[in-house]
Amino acid sequence: LEYDGTKSILISTRTVMGGKNPFLGIAYLVVGGLCILLGAMFTVTQLIKPRQVDSTTVPQFGGNKDIAVADFGKTMQETRRSFLLILEYRTTVHGNYYRPRSENWRNSLSFSCQACMMNPLSY
Amino acid sequence: VQEINLDYSHCTATAPECLTDTTSPPQDAVMPSKYVTTSFKNQTSSADAPTWCHSTTLNGQTFGGPRVLISSVCHIQFSIPDDLAPPVLLYYQLTNFYQNHRRYVKSFDQQQLAGDFVSNSTINGSDCSPLEGELQPDGSWKAYYPCGLIANSMFNDTILNPQLLNAAGSASSNITYNMTSKGTAWSSDAALYKTPPSYTFDQVVPPPNWRMTYPTYNSSFGWPDLHGDDHFQVWMRTAGLPTFSKLYLRNDIETMQAGRYQIDIFDCTFILQISYGIFANATYPRLSGIGI
């Protein structure tokens, strides 16, 4: 087995910042470049095909066929709009928006409120 | 920061031999560019590329002073396009040398280095293992001074001061750019070493790789001057990574003028010496660089 070390002479000067050490500079450039690349990629995907809301995160109000309930294929904004519509409908028609009408209703309401806690900006 | 790095690992094997009775490289003996890294403000023209050659002499230079030894000398010429303002620092850089090996870093005896008398029985079985000492032809066992792997593997090429060739304003004679090893080690390090040690010459033997410089310890060679030897002290401060540079010479006063320089290096077989099987019987995983 051959030893593959090398030896060299190095003549160098020095500054107040010390000797030549490009490691940090290179590391910053690489990480910065990576961020720019990822940012561009996500911008493009957002423009071409925005994120879809999964149907399980959408409030399901069983039986109210006349209300536009968000389902597959709705964006977050559309979902929010329909949810607000539902709230308004509940308050005006039934007078008491909090009253649970069925197990289904209770479950779906708590589900949607969890969703709005988790993402306060969207409500 | 401006710097130039000249890899001379293969000087003796690859560089052409200098013309008879000369010690300066011929113009066409260009050093392969893979061995050269430069970082200067100004460019050097390709005509000023580093050149090299090697020669053999009987007047060897070692870390212990001049010796009558068949020595290979590497002669390198290189150009510096800008004036280098002091401090100008000359390092040697090694790659793939694991000075951080677990057994290597502790392989020395601080008391022995500090000049104390440390008995053979104490050295034998100490941290200096596996280089504590050896059996003599007469059957006795003698400790190495200094014992241990670090001291034994000391970088033993001798790099001479750069010579400015055909300096402007002087009649084509060479001007030596005087650099010193003083101040290359930490100023506090000298206190860790004392010369002479409290041994008599016949109580200890030089470690195996020091025998070119010190065939034996006696009054004509004297003791190695560990206290005054900055190169030794720099080497004993082990490097943390396998690629490292250690300061060898410096000049804190004079500017290193732009121009063409020659550096002569007494090229010992350092790399061959450290690659013999020190840990041949060790039950430890081996790292490249030591213990191959």
Side-chain angles (χ1 to χ4, degrees), chain A residues 17-59:
Chain A
M17 284 175 67
K20 189 182 165 189
N21 190 350
F23 175 80
L24 269 186
I26 291 170
Y28 287 168
L29 285 177
V30 166
V31 172
L34 220 67
C35 287
I36 290 174
L37 206 77
L38 284 175
M41 239 170 64
F42 289 137
T43 308
V44 167
T45 48
Q46 176 66 22
L47 288 177
I48 292 175
K49 196 165 184 272
R51 183 183 165 207
Q52 304 293 298
V53 177
D54 191 84
S55 63
T56 56
T57 65
V58 160

Side-chain angles (χ1 to χ4, degrees), chain B residues 214-234:
Chain B
Y214 295 96
T216 175
Y217 288 134
N218 58 34
S219 51
S220 64
F221 290 119
W223 293 108
D225 182 15
L226 306 188
H227 178 77
D229 188 351
D230 283 45
H231 298 324
F232 177 76
Q233 290 162 20
V234 168

Side-chain angles (χ1 to χ4, degrees), chain A residues 1-15 18-21, chain B residues 2-9 89 91-96 157 267 271 289:
Chain A
L1 197 59
E2 202 172 295
Y3 179 61
D4 62 349
T6 64
K7 52 181 179 178
S8 50
I9 51 171
L10 172 66
I11 297 175
S12 183
T13 54
R14 196 174 61 179
T15 63
K20 189 182 165 189
N21 190 350
Chain B
Q2 314 200 68
E3 62 180 43
I4 179 168
N5 188 323
L6 301 157
D7 180 347
Y8 68 99
S9 320
L89 309 166
Y91 301 83
Y92 55 89
Q93 185 177 57
L94 304 181
T95 64
N96 207 15
D157 284 4
D267 194 358
I271 280 174

Side-chain angles (χ1 to χ4, degrees), chain B residues 81-269:
Chain B
D82 305 297
D83 286 353
L84 302 185
V88 178
L89 309 166
L90 190 151
Y91 301 83
Y92 55 89
Q93 185 177 57
L94 304 181
T95 64
N96 207 15
F97 191 100
Y98 287 79
Q99 252 202 327
N100 57 2
H101 189 285
R102 193 168 56 82
R103 296 187 66 192
Y104 183 95
V105 286
K106 61 173 191 175
S107 187
F108 64 99
D109 190 297
Q110 192 59 63
Q111 272 201 300
Q112 191 197 42
L113 294 170
D116 296 345
F117 177 86
V118 186
S119 69
N120 281 344
S121 54
T122 312
I123 296 284
N124 199 350
S126 72
D127 279 345
C128 280
S129 164
L131 283 179
E132 304 125 295
E134 66 183 33
L135 215 54
Q136 301 303 304
D138 64 7
S140 65
W141 190 93
K142 284 183 184 172
Y144 294 132
Y145 172 80
C147 69
L149 292 170
I150 314 181
N152 181 58
S153 58
M154 180 175 155
F155 179 77
N156 59 1
D157 284 4
T158 301
I159 305 169
L160 303 186
N161 282 321
Q163 307 265 341
L164 176 58
L165 306 170
N166 307 317
S170 70
S172 80
S173 61
N174 301 337
I175 299 176
T176 303
Y177 180 66
N178 279 311
M179 304 181 88
T180 174
S181 68
K182 287 292 153 217
T184 54
W186 294 2
S187 55
S188 58
D189 271 7
L192 300 174
Y193 308 96
K194 197 181 152 226
T195 347
S198 317
Y199 289 115
T200 55
F201 286 124
D202 60 337
Q203 282 173 326
V204 285
V205 289
N209 287 355
W210 288 36
R211 306 258 165 93
M212 295 291 245
T213 307
Y214 295 96
T216 175
Y217 288 134
N218 58 34
S219 51
S220 64
F221 290 119
W223 293 108
D225 182 15
L226 306 188
H227 178 77
D229 188 351
D230 283 45
H231 298 324
F232 177 76
Q233 290 162 20
V234 168
W235 182 258
M236 295 300 284
R237 284 253 160 238
T238 52
L241 296 172
T243 295
F244 58 86
S245 324
K246 283 179 182 282
L247 191 52
Y248 190 82
L249 294 172
R250 64 188 299 159
N251 186 329
D252 295 277
I253 303 152
E254 292 170 291
T255 297
M256 190 172 188
Q257 285 172 15
R260 195 158 179 86
Y261 286 85
Q262 174 160 339
I263 276 193
D264 297 338
I265 304 157
F266 283 81
D267 194 358
C268 294
T269 48

